[in-house]
Amino acid sequence: MSALTAAAVGVIVGFGGTVALVVQAGQNLGASPLQVVSMVTALCLGIGVPGLLLSWRLRIPVILAWSTPGAALLAASTLGLDWSTAVGAFIIAGLLMVVVGLVPAIGRLAARIPSAIASAMLAGVLLPFVIKLFLVFPTDLALAAGLTAVFLIARRLAPTWALPLVLVSTFAALAFRGQLALPPGGGLFGALSPAVPHFDLKAAISLALPLFLVTLVSQNLPGLVVLRTAGYEPPPGPLLLSTGAATVLLAPFGVYGINMAAIVAAICTGPEAHPDKDRRWVVGVIYGGLYLVAAAFAAPLAGLFIVMPQGALALITGLALIGPLTGALVGAVGEPQDREPAILTFAATASGVAMFGIGSAFWGLVIGFAALAALRWRRR
């Protein structure tokens, strides 16, 4: 029973807390409502099937998730890419992860990327979404103040349930106003709608490369640390290879990034999930199975967010990203010697500047690495 409860809480927190951001990402990249449903369906399949099989095969609780920072990066993109070009970028990002899984030396090199720079880029991506949260207050004060109050009180009394409670409160408020609906013709079950990928150099540089880096540094590496902290010895190569391969295979259906979970993994890998460490892999199997259930009913689950008023969607997304933004800012300024390059990276990324058709996330990394190199050369 404890294994089932932990897995269910993990799915509710992981799915319910950030599915609004995934829907925004798809809409921003030009996906149709059917393609957004396909995106959510494929992401759930990409989490459920590999996670279930890896947990059973490795006998450790392998908890996978979609990349929340990656979804924020996609939703913040101002490049005006079409859906086929975005799918091509997803495939490239997945292939980069496969290479890291196959070549341990590259993985070790990637692990040496200064966390301050990666965290600063992530913070710059997330900041606009949290700012949009407060821009809703002048237009819908009651909903904005009410949901913020629910979030703050829940963070004090039951932190794990803060985002699910915000979600339930949002649906209740919209239902009371008569604004809760499903898109016409959406159906009851999930669906897969493939797109022919189009590969573009600018999209590879401005979207695929930052997507790969932010998924690796902000999701996969912390996810491996969570498993080690729980007393396991996860094999990095097979896990990164499996998540990268799942991304590549399902990218035509809208999967932009499958990765190791960190926060949700902490819920599912501790003693409270299962008292027997050697039997705790069962939690990973149940967790994967529940995501397959979510995939089966992805159409109505995604549909609620597709037709949701933009103000409510901005509130849910902003509140969901307060925690990740806090962690990213702490990581960006954690090392005193790297703070200046991190601030430059943060400012450049948050500015949304695009040059030569390449977005701000890439330029933030370029400026941050250049500043870091200059400072270290000066110290030497």
Side-chain angles (χ1 to χ4, degrees):
M1 183 56 67
S2 64
L4 176 61
T5 302
V9 171
V11 172
I12 292 170
V13 171
F15 184 97
T18 55
V19 67
L21 184 59
V22 172
V23 170
Q24 277 188 288
Q27 292 173 333
N28 187 51
L29 294 173
S32 67
L34 178 59
Q35 288 168 331
V36 171
V37 171
S38 174
M39 189 180 189
V40 176
T41 304
L43 282 167
C44 290
L45 290 174
I47 293 170
V49 175
L52 188 155
L53 294 176
L54 286 169
S55 296
W56 173 76
R57 178 69 179 84
L58 300 175
R59 290 299 194 266
I60 61 176
V62 178
I63 307 300
L64 303 182
W66 57 57
S67 173
T68 299
L73 179 68
L74 301 178
S77 174
T78 58
L79 301 175
L81 302 177
D82 60 77
W83 183 242
S84 294
T85 304
V87 167
F90 300 164
I91 292 175
I92 294 172
L95 287 173
L96 290 172
M97 197 66 70
V98 169
V99 171
V100 172
L102 288 174
V103 185
I106 297 178
R108 289 192 294 270
L109 182 63
R112 295 180 62 184
I113 296 173
S115 60
I117 301 299
S119 296
M121 182 192 74
L122 176 58
V125 169
L126 299 180
L127 179 64
F129 293 97
V130 179
I131 290 177
K132 288 178 184 177
L133 157 68
F134 298 99
L135 297 180
V136 180
F137 276 75
T139 58
D140 197 341
L141 179 60
L143 184 63
L147 293 183
T148 304
V150 169
F151 176 78
L152 293 175
I153 294 171
R155 288 291 296 170
R156 174 67 179 86
L157 300 178
T160 300
W161 292 96
L163 294 179
L165 286 173
V166 167
L167 208 56
V168 171
S169 301
T170 304
F171 288 143
L174 293 178
F176 179 76
R177 294 177 171 187
Q179 295 178 307
L180 190 64
L182 289 171
L188 178 62
F189 301 105
L192 294 175
S193 177
V196 178
H198 172 69
F199 298 97
D200 180 80
L201 180 60
K202 291 180 180 178
I205 295 173
S206 61
L207 199 63
L209 181 60
L211 179 59
F212 158 71
L213 287 175
V214 79
T215 300
L216 176 66
V217 177
S218 301
Q219 296 277 174
N220 278 326
L221 296 182
L224 292 170
V225 170
V226 169
L227 281 175
R228 292 192 185 102
T229 303
Y232 298 99
E233 291 296 330
L239 291 176
L240 296 179
L241 175 62
S242 299
T243 56
T247 300
V248 173
L249 290 173
L250 293 172
F253 303 102
V255 168
Y256 63 90
I258 300 297
N259 50 252
M260 302 291 296
I263 296 173
V264 174
I267 298 173
C268 299
T269 58
E272 59 279 354
H274 197 293
D276 185 353
K277 173 177 168 293
D278 295 330
R279 291 284 299 168
R280 210 171 292 159
W281 60 271
V282 175
V283 182
V285 172
I286 298 173
Y287 176 88
L290 291 176
Y291 258 103
L292 296 181
V293 175
F297 298 99
L301 292 173
L304 289 171
F305 296 93
I306 292 173
V307 299
M308 182 177 287
Q310 289 300 309
L313 201 58
L315 287 169
I316 295 172
T317 305
L319 291 171
L321 294 180
I322 287 176
L325 176 60
T326 303
L329 288 172
V330 171
V333 299
E335 297 293 336
Q337 70 272 18
D338 295 338
R339 283 176 184 168
E340 189 172 292
I343 292 301
L344 288 171
T345 302
F346 169 68
T349 305
S351 71
V353 64
M355 295 186 295
F356 312 111
I358 298 174
S360 62
F362 175 78
W363 296 118
L365 288 173
V366 169
I367 292 170
F369 283 127
L372 194 64
L375 285 176
R376 291 184 177 179
W377 173 81
R378 186 181 66 189
R379 292 185 191 120
R380 285 197 297 269

